[in-house]
Amino acid sequence: MNSFETLFHIGCFHIMKVNVLWFKRDLRLSDHLPLKRAIEQSLPLILLYVFEPELIEAEDSDVRHWRFVYESITDLKKVLINHSLTIVHATVDEVFIELNKQYEINAVFSHQETGNWISYNRDIRIAAFLKSKQIPWHQFQSNGVIRGLK
């Protein structure tokens, strides 16, 4: 069994309908609109953080940033009592392909990424994948940034 199969193995024969909350830069639980909206749907919720090799290896990346992310995730895991946080080191593309095989994804919730060209292109790929699978992706503004302004 590969690492994806181990992480996402549900041990039953029917496919469970779930929502996915994709944590990107905002690793808080309070005042987190995507989390609130996902919970309001009353479906099982996969809380997901992906350590993306392409972002980790980027020129504008620094080990101090990833140390901070790791510490934030460690703190987040301590607060989550009735939920677990799925942490994966892979491309987001691979993660969503595997999630889509293992679950019936009702919707994906996240903040809009305001990162670099790598994260922008990744979001374009993920949007196309989710659209091809007819999975809504609810992205919420973050830090007052509005995408697409000229």
Side-chain angles (χ1 to χ4, degrees), residues 20-77:
V20 176
L21 175 76
W22 176 14
F23 284 103
K24 290 181 175 184
R25 291 180 179 264
D26 190 345
L27 297 172
R28 302 170 301 136
L29 292 177
S30 62
D31 194 30
H32 196 288
L33 189 56
L35 176 61
K36 180 181 185 301
R37 293 293 187 252
I39 290 171
E40 288 173 350
Q41 298 220 344
S42 300
L43 284 173
L45 182 59
I46 296 174
L47 302 175
L48 175 67
Y49 184 82
V50 182
F51 281 101
E52 302 171 69
E54 192 175 26
L55 287 176
I56 292 170
E57 296 164 5
E59 275 187 29
D60 62 353
S61 179
D62 187 87
V63 70
R64 290 174 295 184
H65 167 76
W66 296 109
R67 187 176 305 120
F68 175 77
V69 169
Y70 177 78
E71 290 169 358
S72 298
I73 288 172
T74 301
D75 290 343
L76 188 61
K77 287 174 67 173

